[in-house]
Amino acid sequence: MDALIELTAEQEQFRAELCELLCQDAVRDEVARSRRLPYGQETGLLDVHRRLGERGLLAVNWPVEYGGRGGTIVEKAILTEELILHGVPDTVHTLGIDIVGLAVFLYGTPEQRARLLPGLARGDTTASVLFSEPGIGSDLASLTTRAEPDGDGWRLYGRKRYSMKTHQSDFALCAARTSAGPVAYHGITLFLVPLRSVGVHIDPLWNLSEERFDDVTLDGIRVTRADVLGEVDDGWQVVNRVLPLERTGIDSAAKADRLLDALLRQAAATGRLTEPAYAQRLLDLDARVRAARLLAWRCVLHLRDGRPDEVDSATAKWYASEVAKELAGLALEVTGLDGVLDARDAAAVADGVFDAALREAPGLTLAAGTSEIMLYFVGTSGLGLPS
């Protein structure tokens, strides 16, 4: 642990508890199998998620009544780091716990919390996000999915793209427009949409990463006031509150840390660690990975202290994801063509970690807000530059 990141003895013990569980042979074997699934298949909920859930660790910062341990954002950040450092696929956890679950915990009714959170915390159910649309990514003000009044509820019509894990999820947090007006962000409502329902059509969008995107058509699925998260027409406020909590950069920093460790081992084994073409670049990236982690933990500690800083969050998210992306590119230079063999190939270098990182890297700079949007936010809100 970096000396600049101070944890209590209890938090260090919590990290040790996690490491002990994640180092069990059964967990290691499951993670290895998940990396070797046939092409076109991908991981969903794993036994390791359920093992964590049984111990109140999967949603450690949630109250005990909802399946957590009543921990803080610090324990949650430790969990995210250790899952990634131990190679556990993290998308299901990020979507279900860190985004949708957090939104329900912060803005859900008592009934919604009691109905949805325990299953997520146990690792029995999961959730996805339906925000992006064709031609519309980070700019929710332009969304076209509409909620048409239908008696005491609404029917949803629209198309969502680039969502992940929707085909494996039980429900989704969906943004739709319930009214139109002069203020673009007003009139957006968030709905908790059951995905195994008439009116939801999910098709794959195949890509180079291990996890497919989904193309989701909402064709008149009916929702009621009980499915609304927060207030009608005020969904942007929920999004604006939850997304900065996701943008600590902890996940990208941990991925960069894991990748750098594997790359340094490989470079040392092949004699390239001291080659002039790579030595200085590896040294520079080592410093930048450490800086990314410190920026991320600064955000976590701000959240712990009840003083979130959206500019710091945007900075950390941008920096950590860009460092991870650059590191993935350098890994291919160091390892050569052998580095693009995936984990299914017996000759793969470092169990295919470099290939997986290279294919995932572009998505890190897009998910949860593109690098361009993060820089725009830092420039306008942080530096006071004109928009």
Side-chain angles (χ1 to χ4, degrees):
M1 191 64 176
D2 197 295
L4 295 177
I5 305 170
E6 296 183 1
L7 299 182
T8 66
E10 291 79 10
Q11 288 163 347
E12 293 287 8
Q13 178 58 39
F14 172 68
R15 188 184 290 275
E17 178 186 357
L18 281 174
C19 289
E20 182 179 0
L21 187 153
L22 296 175
C23 286
Q24 292 177 2
D25 289 340
V27 174
R28 289 177 180 270
D29 291 344
E30 183 182 34
V31 170
R33 286 195 301 272
S34 74
R35 293 176 56 78
R36 293 174 173 80
L37 290 174
Y39 294 107
Q41 296 184 24
E42 62 184 69
T43 58
L45 283 168
L46 301 173
D47 283 342
V48 63
H49 294 126
R50 298 183 180 93
R51 288 169 183 254
L52 291 164
E54 290 171 357
R55 296 163 173 79
L57 297 173
L58 194 60
V60 64
N61 54 319
W62 293 0
V64 174
E65 64 183 295
Y66 297 132
R69 282 197 180 183
T72 71
I73 190 69
V74 173
E75 283 79 14
K76 183 269 171 190
I78 293 171
L79 171 65
T80 297
E81 279 194 329
E82 293 304 327
L83 286 174
I84 291 172
L85 292 173
H86 285 83
V88 179
D90 65 307
T91 305
V92 164
H93 177 259
T94 299
L95 290 170
I97 303 295
D98 296 347
I99 302 177
V100 180
L102 175 62
V104 173
F105 176 67
L106 291 176
Y107 288 94
T109 64
E111 184 278 330
Q112 288 171 338
R113 293 175 183 171
R115 173 165 56 92
L116 299 174
L117 294 184
L120 291 173
R122 286 193 305 268
D124 291 335
T125 61
T126 190
S128 64
V129 175
L130 297 177
F131 286 177
S132 297
E133 299 181 0
I136 300 171
S138 300
D139 183 16
L140 280 185
S142 302
L143 69 82
T144 60
T145 297
R146 65 191 190 279
E148 296 185 354
D150 181 57
D152 61 350
W154 300 263
R155 289 193 180 274
L156 303 182
Y157 295 92
R159 188 178 177 189
K160 300 291 186 178
R161 303 195 79 184
Y162 309 119
S163 64
M164 301 182 73
K165 301 297 184 186
T166 301
H167 60 293
Q168 296 177 329
S169 298
D170 299 281
F171 67 98
L173 184 61
C174 177
R177 188 167 293 284
T178 41
S179 66
V183 180
Y185 288 107
H186 183 73
I188 296 172
T189 301
L190 296 183
F191 295 93
L192 297 164
V193 176
L195 292 170
R196 297 184 179 93
S197 302
V198 175
V200 178
H201 307 280
I202 304 173
D203 296 306
L205 287 174
W206 301 111
N207 60 89
L208 289 177
S209 71
E210 291 291 328
E211 297 170 313
R212 81 183 209 190
F213 293 116
D214 286 315
D215 188 338
V216 183
T217 300
L218 302 170
D219 188 18
I221 179 175
R222 192 174 191 280
V223 290
T224 69
R225 185 63 181 82
D227 300 310
V228 173
L229 184 67
E231 299 298 326
V232 175
D233 287 342
D234 204 27
W236 175 245
Q237 296 303 319
V238 179
V239 174
N240 209 31
R241 171 85 188 280
V242 172
L243 283 184
L245 302 184
E246 179 199 359
R247 291 171 179 164
T248 61
I250 282 287
D251 52 350
S252 291
K255 290 177 181 182
D257 196 357
R258 180 169 181 262
L259 181 60
L260 178 64
D261 181 68
L263 181 56
L264 291 176
R265 291 174 184 272
Q266 181 66 20
T270 57
R272 292 192 165 181
L273 187 61
T274 56
E275 286 186 12
Y278 305 114
Q280 187 60 51
R281 294 169 68 189
L282 287 168
L283 184 63
D284 290 344
L285 276 168
D286 179 80
R288 292 174 61 193
V289 169
R290 292 172 184 266
R293 188 163 183 260
L294 289 174
L295 287 171
W297 270 97
R298 180 174 67 176
C299 295
V300 171
L301 298 181
H302 282 168
L303 292 170
R304 178 200 63 186
D305 297 338
R307 47 187 184 91
D309 188 311
E310 294 182 359
V311 173
D312 281 354
S313 294
T315 302
K317 193 277 174 187
W318 163 73
Y319 190 83
S321 61
E322 289 291 340
V323 168
K325 181 179 178 180
E326 183 175 342
L327 188 55
L330 178 59
L332 183 60
E333 290 187 46
V334 173
T335 59
L337 288 178
D338 288 345
V340 298
L341 297 176
D342 68 27
R344 301 171 185 84
D345 195 311
V349 176
D351 199 31
V353 66
F354 304 124
D355 165 76
L358 186 67
R359 288 184 286 117
E360 181 188 29
L364 298 180
T365 65
L366 297 174
T370 66
S371 288
E372 290 77 12
I373 291 293
M374 296 299 97
L375 289 175
Y376 175 83
F377 188 82
V378 171
T380 56
S381 298
L383 302 178
L385 300 178
S387 60

